[in-house]
Amino acid sequence: MVQIGLMNAYSTLNLGDAAIYSAFRKLLPQVDLVACVRDKHPDPTLGIDFRSQRPSDCQAYISVGGDIFNNSREWLVTKAFLQNLAELRRNPRHTILFGQSIPRSCHGLSFLLLSQCLLRLPAVCVRDSESHQRLSQAGVEARLSYDTAFVLESSVPAIQKAHAILSQKGIDQAKAAVLSVRGFDSMYSHSNDKFVERMSHLCLSLQHNGYQPLILIQSRAYGADNDLDVAKTIQSAAPGTEIFDPFLEDRSVPSWQLAMALFTLVDLVIAVRFHTAVLSLAAGRVPFQLHYSNKGRDLCKRLELPGCDLSQFNPISDLSAIMATSGRTFNPSPIREQVSRDFRWCLDQLPGRLMGDTIAGGKA
């Protein structure tokens, strides 16, 4: 069996990353996918062979994940950034980059180093226009697509589980408004205190208009990438707000699948985190997007989604636009098909068309 290594994998405790891993599992059903993440106990429901060491001796490698090329030291280069680049340099002729973004924190020397690495890869495909434009200007022949998780779909068991959780909480799904949150550290220009204040006001305004605000925990990972503290702070400031944690102890369904199921059941989805928007759209629902980075901004613009920059968000004046998204549907099929086509094209650029018939069953 062909073995492919998922490089620069991060964590299954962030459901966006977990969704990306599962998306590659769907795209490559007959391939042994191996990866190494930070988690002590990676989610076994994703179909990935998680190992204690980074993948090696594979026939091919895919650089995956989200903003892994963040460089927090603006005019220098961090050790973590160099480690990520080292993965790209290990076996460049057999490595592709697919579905990632180049964050704005990667500029100057760090962007130059990254561009030099990407020039050696047979295929590079990014998920947002700004990354595509920057790489193209640097001489990298990058392809523009969408996030890999668009190929995913929910399941009947996940929908049943989400419905049961809402029932246990006494929530009328027809009047439920799901919102994602995150903590903002020094990597971002947004004030965490102002963000919490605005989201608290939003939850209170939703309640005043008959809605039940429900905060989705999209990540329980590391450092600022753990939504629980922020969610609890908002809950304290806006009593009556509920929390929906999709990271089940019994792991009966993957976290991303449970989130997608939730999006199909509720009336409103307010997406701060990028993969709340992606998975909501993949589930056929239009979210109101509060974007804070180029990837979210691009998604909002290219798909003409309702939303605004998080820095401009006003929980009072923007409430009517949020409520106007009630019940709006979205057809994800064209994007799902495009991501599948773009991925197959990237695989075809590997030496000797290494994959052959191994992706024959990977229609999304």
Side-chain angles (χ1 to χ4, degrees):
M1 178 180 288
V2 172
Q3 185 175 94
I4 295 180
L6 301 182
M7 296 185 350
N8 290 318
Y10 166 55
S11 174
T12 65
L13 294 171
N14 180 308
L15 69 79
D17 289 79
I20 289 171
Y21 309 150
S22 287
F24 284 113
R25 176 73 287 159
K26 181 176 181 180
L27 289 166
L28 294 164
Q30 299 179 42
V31 167
D32 182 18
L33 293 178
V34 298
C36 175
V37 293
R38 295 176 60 180
D39 314 338
K40 290 183 178 179
H41 304 287
D43 189 343
T45 67
L46 306 181
I48 308 297
D49 181 5
F50 290 109
R51 300 179 178 179
S52 59
Q53 301 294 324
R54 297 190 178 192
S56 61
D57 300 323
C58 298
Q59 284 91 338
Y61 300 89
I62 307 172
S63 183
V64 304
D67 296 339
I68 64 166
F69 297 112
N70 264 317
N71 183 57
S72 58
R73 302 180 69 182
E74 187 169 3
W75 302 114
L76 299 171
V77 180
T78 65
K79 181 179 179 181
F81 181 83
L82 290 174
Q83 289 174 337
N84 288 336
L85 288 190
E87 291 290 288
L88 296 181
R89 291 194 184 102
R90 181 182 295 176
N91 198 341
R93 289 186 65 250
H94 293 87
T95 298
I96 63 173
L97 180 147
F98 190 83
Q100 295 186 263
S101 294
I102 313 302
R104 291 187 175 182
S105 62
C106 178
H107 62 91
L109 177 59
S110 60
F111 181 69
L112 175 62
L113 293 173
L114 175 61
S115 299
Q116 290 175 341
C117 285
L118 298 184
L119 283 166
R120 300 175 64 194
L121 305 187
V124 172
C125 185
V126 293
R127 63 185 177 185
D128 70 276
S129 300
E130 184 175 312
S131 295
H132 180 258
Q133 182 179 11
R134 291 179 67 196
L135 290 176
S136 297
Q137 290 173 346
V140 178
E141 295 184 5
R143 196 177 184 99
L144 176 62
S145 190
Y146 290 93
D147 189 84
T148 320
F150 267 109
V151 305
L152 295 174
E153 300 175 76
S154 190
S155 67
V156 172
I159 292 172
Q160 292 172 339
K161 190 71 174 181
H163 181 76
I165 293 173
L166 292 177
S167 296
Q168 290 168 5
K169 291 179 176 291
I171 294 175
D172 177 2
Q173 60 192 47
K175 297 301 291 181
V178 168
L179 55 147
S180 58
V181 299
R182 65 159 302 139
F184 290 97
D185 57 13
S186 59
M187 191 76 72
Y188 300 94
S189 60
H190 298 279
S191 165
N192 197 63
D193 290 340
K194 287 185 178 179
F195 171 72
V196 168
E197 181 182 0
R198 288 176 180 175
M199 299 309 286
S200 299
H201 281 309
L202 174 60
C203 289
L204 291 171
S205 297
L206 287 168
Q207 290 184 70
H208 182 72
N209 283 272
Y211 279 94
Q212 169 64 67
L214 188 62
I215 300 176
L216 172 70
I217 305 300
Q218 188 177 303
S219 182
R220 294 185 61 173
Y222 310 98
D225 195 27
N226 188 325
D227 302 338
L228 280 170
D229 288 343
V230 172
K232 289 178 180 178
T233 302
I234 294 171
Q235 188 180 46
S236 296
T241 300
E242 291 286 347
I243 293 175
F244 188 101
D245 187 347
F247 295 91
L248 305 177
E249 290 187 9
D250 62 13
R251 289 182 166 174
S252 53
V253 293
S255 58
W256 63 264
Q257 205 171 91
L258 188 56
M260 286 187 76
L262 179 66
F263 301 147
T264 66
L265 296 176
V266 300
D267 191 57
L268 298 176
V269 179
I270 301 141
V272 172
R273 280 191 173 269
F274 177 67
H275 276 98
T276 296
V278 169
L279 294 174
S280 178
L281 292 164
R285 292 295 307 278
V286 172
F288 187 90
Q289 191 176 7
L290 297 174
H291 47 79
Y292 59 86
S293 63
N294 53 306
K295 59 187 178 184
R297 187 177 303 108
D298 171 77
L299 191 68
C300 203
K301 182 177 181 180
R302 272 203 287 164
L303 297 182
E304 299 181 338
L305 302 177
C308 66
D309 192 289
L310 182 59
S311 63
Q312 305 298 318
F313 174 58
N314 184 311
I316 305 301
S317 60
D318 290 328
L319 184 62
S320 59
I322 291 173
M323 294 177 64
T325 64
S326 171
R328 281 189 60 183
T329 60
F330 180 82
N331 178 16
S333 296
I335 296 179
R336 184 175 291 133
E337 292 165 3
Q338 181 182 340
V339 171
S340 183
R341 287 195 306 270
D342 290 334
F343 182 63
R344 287 165 181 267
W345 180 88
C346 289
L347 289 181
D348 283 346
Q349 308 315 303
L350 289 165
R353 297 193 63 169
L354 190 66
M355 297 303 102
D357 294 330
T358 59
I359 61 170
K363 295 182 179 180

